[in-house]
Amino acid sequence: MRKTRTLAAQTLNILLLTLQQTAGATTGRHTPHAHLRHLPSRHAAPRLSAEPTSAIAADDDAAPSPQLLPKPQGTKEPVLTLPVIWRFSRPHTIFGSALSVVALSLYATPPLTPPFATLVPLTLLALHALVPALLINVFIVGLNQLYDIEIDAINKPALPLPAGEMSPRQGWAICASTLALSIAITFASPPPFSSTALRCVIVGSALLGVVYSSPPFRFKRSPVAAAVCIMG
């Protein structure tokens, strides 16, 4: 009886072992210590996660790439400074214009009666004529720069408009203001501070500046027409 039970137990163990081996062949090779694979090893290298950590992900969300940053809706106009306005007025052109306008004004001034027939009144007349002359000069050179921004960006990139130190809107405002002030001073001043010659010079200079730079005239494209405008 005992032998029968022992034989039955051995047979049962053999069947169980056979079933385990069959299951191991189906899922993978069975090893006696397969259950130890899931235990961490003291010498095993730490696994590097391919996913970013939460801190890095938060930083990435907080600081997007410059290419992904939204572009500003509008650009703020630059702040005008005296050096920028001075360079916009093209100082090298001031001297010739000032001398010619003052000389013509003094030449056309009618004979003065005492006490104006002295050096001081003549100096005052010259200085008075100099103010509208300088203003109209700023108008002329400013108008030329406004119509030549793309050309000056290549040939004269240091000028205020192509350099971005002045916006075209600010340039037009300066030109309109200097033109209005020059004509107002010339025509509002009483004789002998304002003469017919001075008025003709101021208005004529403004017109020459317009046809020299502005389309559709653009006399500056013709050597002969440009020379006439400059000598005028």
Side-chain angles (χ1 to χ4, degrees):
M1 194 64 159
R2 291 181 179 178
K3 292 181 179 181
T4 303
R5 291 179 179 178
T6 303
L7 181 60
Q10 291 177 354
T11 303
L12 182 60
N13 289 333
I14 292 172
L15 290 174
L16 291 175
L17 182 60
T18 303
L19 291 174
Q20 290 178 358
Q21 291 177 352
T22 304
T26 304
T27 59
R29 189 174 180 180
H30 176 74
T31 56
H33 303 286
H35 65 284
L36 298 178
R37 291 181 179 179
H38 302 286
L39 297 178
S41 174
R42 293 182 300 173
H43 303 287
R47 289 185 65 185
L48 298 178
S49 175
E51 299 295 330
T53 61
S54 59
I56 297 177
D59 291 339
D60 291 341
D61 294 339
S65 175
Q67 290 80 4
L68 302 179
L69 291 174
K71 295 182 179 181
Q73 297 297 329
T75 56
K76 188 177 181 180
E77 290 190 349
V79 179
L80 288 180
T81 60
L82 290 178
V84 172
I85 298 176
W86 174 252
R87 286 165 45 217
F88 180 73
S89 66
R90 306 294 283 162
H92 67 278
T93 65
I94 291 178
F95 303 105
S97 300
L99 290 176
S100 61
V101 171
V102 171
L104 289 174
S105 178
L106 293 177
Y107 179 79
T109 300
L112 301 177
T113 57
F116 291 98
T118 60
L119 181 61
V120 174
L122 290 176
T123 304
L124 293 177
L125 290 176
L127 293 177
H128 186 274
L130 184 62
V131 174
L134 295 181
L135 291 173
I136 208 66
N137 185 84
V138 175
F139 164 75
I140 294 173
V141 297
L143 191 68
N144 183 52
Q145 294 176 71
L146 286 168
Y147 282 112
D148 287 347
I149 295 178
E150 295 181 357
I151 299 175
D152 291 339
I154 300 174
N155 298 330
K156 304 172 185 177
L159 290 177
L161 286 171
E165 298 174 324
M166 176 186 295
S167 67
R169 181 178 178 180
Q170 293 171 333
W172 282 111
I174 292 175
C175 288
S177 301
T178 52
L179 175 62
L181 285 174
S182 178
I183 294 178
I185 293 173
T186 302
F187 283 84
S189 300
F193 294 100
S194 179
S195 62
T196 303
L198 179 61
R199 294 173 181 176
C200 292
V201 168
I202 295 299
V203 174
S205 298
L207 293 177
L208 288 176
V210 171
V211 298
Y212 178 82
S213 302
S214 305
F217 309 103
R218 299 284 285 178
F219 282 6
K220 62 183 300 180
R221 295 179 177 178
S222 171
V224 177
V228 171
C229 291
I230 294 174
M231 290 186 298

